[in-house]
Amino acid sequence: MSEPFRAALVAVLLLGLVTGCASDPGAETPYTPGTAWETVDDMEAEGWSPEGLQAARAHSDSIGSAAVIVLHEGRIVDEWGETERKFKCHSIRKSFLSALYGIAVQRGTVDPSATMGDLGIDDRNPLTEQEKTATVRMLLKARSGIYHDALYETPAMEAARPERGSHAPGTHWYYNNWDFNALGTIYEQETGTTIHKAFAARIAEPIGMQSFQASDGSYVEGEDSRHPAYPFQMTARDMARFGLLYLRGGAWNGTQVVPEFWVKESTVSYSDAGEAGGYGYLWWVSVDGQHFEGVDGVPHGTYTARGAGGHTLAIVPDLDLVLVHRVNTFKDRDIPYGRVGALLKKVLAAKDDWAGTPNY
């Protein structure tokens, strides 16, 4: 462990102690579900328009959604589709890994300032000395400047990949599967456990996921790179629990599962992501109301985990709301994120205390 990292770790731990001592013992813990979800019985009494939610459901039917869940204040307001079926998560895997990194950083098992050179990370076509200066934190931000071939890329990602050596580490954002996959290798190397087992033990079990098991994870390997992808499959209901965990600042029923400081660091923008807004640590972040193609006025502070085909986990802290949108990508369904954004706007419009105008 480097001296700067040791000092930073001690500061974080001391801050946690101070925060814990300063907390109000009488403060009410926000509602989180037990084994079973609690549902909203009277939508109108809770400020929801049944007609508005029906309009959201009609929109999702028209775009071919497989499952949708709307959570408000930790309870299910509405849900439809195959919410208990395990679907592919695609790139939502990256936000799952971000959560695991937060736990590992707090425990001192991963140093986010460590470089690829420090960690002995290389690839089939060897990294250059410049590329080896990229840090773990740069990979979390997708700013490594390492444009080696990567596994599990879409054709668009491959086509957009810059030339090797075209940008120094830390200077350029590119949504880079090399970064995301190498982070998986680093996590397993530094913690001594697999991603899927760690997720099951450190996150799924503590928050009461009802269906997820470590065997719902797998790896994609190939000749292009040493660093495999690490896909997940998960139900909409279990994904809703993960979204609520982040909405609660990483806490579940009063127990801190993911460090609060990490949730905050991860979900602010460090890079301009165009129509998607910005990018944090493996999370997409709204910026000035922009978060989905062709959709304006997304509430301030909204952030999403996204997977190919339109899989979306949206967290809207200002409204204490989570939206889960799943797609049957076993059948090559592909729903543009702009249409998912339109679904979110319809859900928001169904809530009577949201004006439907930009909230930033």
Side-chain angles (χ1 to χ4, degrees), residues 100-340:
L100 289 176
Y101 259 88
I103 297 169
V105 167
Q106 185 178 59
R107 288 170 173 256
T109 51
V110 175
D111 179 353
S113 66
T115 68
M116 299 303 99
D118 295 334
L119 298 167
I121 297 298
D122 214 324
D123 214 327
R124 300 198 188 285
N125 293 318
L127 301 188
T128 66
E129 290 306 309
Q130 175 175 273
E131 289 171 335
K132 288 180 181 179
T133 67
T135 66
V136 171
R137 197 181 302 277
M138 290 176 190
L139 270 64
L140 288 164
K141 296 178 179 179
R143 299 181 68 92
S144 75
I146 301 173
Y147 305 128
H148 189 286
D149 290 345
L151 300 171
Y152 213 48
E153 284 186 314
T154 64
M157 291 167 69
E158 184 176 2
R161 188 194 308 133
E163 294 292 323
R164 292 279 297 271
S166 58
H167 300 281
T171 64
H172 181 73
W173 179 78
Y174 161 67
Y175 187 73
N176 188 359
N177 260 24
W178 192 92
D179 290 3
F180 310 138
N181 296 342
L183 283 168
T185 298
I186 294 165
Y187 179 84
E188 295 191 343
Q189 171 182 295
E190 297 300 292
T191 64
T193 188
T194 68
I195 291 166
H196 307 106
K197 287 182 179 178
F199 188 86
R202 299 203 182 282
I203 295 176
E205 183 177 347
I207 69 174
M209 286 189 178
Q210 296 166 304
S211 301
F212 181 80
Q213 303 175 43
S215 57
D216 292 322
S218 59
Y219 294 92
V220 175
E221 300 178 319
E223 293 300 315
D224 288 339
S225 175
R226 292 180 186 175
H227 306 296
Y230 39 89
F232 284 67
Q233 291 187 29
M234 188 177 290
T235 68
R237 282 196 157 209
D238 280 351
M239 190 173 289
R241 286 179 181 260
F242 183 73
L244 184 58
L245 173 68
Y246 262 67
L247 184 64
R248 295 284 181 261
W252 195 266
N253 280 332
T255 299
Q256 203 68 41
V257 177
V258 177
E260 184 177 15
F261 81 88
W262 190 261
V263 173
K264 291 178 180 178
E265 276 190 33
S266 300
T267 57
V268 297
S269 176
Y270 300 103
S271 303
D272 181 355
E275 291 185 301
Y279 201 70
Y281 295 169
L282 311 184
W283 286 91
W284 301 89
V285 182
S286 66
V287 176
D288 294 338
Q290 183 64 56
H291 199 44
F292 297 95
E293 180 181 355
V295 177
D296 295 323
V298 175
H300 174 76
T302 299
Y303 55 96
T304 55
R306 302 184 181 189
H311 292 276
T312 304
L313 171 62
I315 293 98
V316 187
D318 280 0
L319 293 178
D320 204 351
L321 183 140
V322 173
L323 174 71
V324 180
H325 179 262
R326 308 307 308 279
V327 184
N328 187 359
T329 42
F330 293 116
K331 293 186 176 180
D332 295 326
R333 297 289 304 184
D334 189 5
I335 300 174
Y337 291 117
R339 295 185 178 181
V340 181

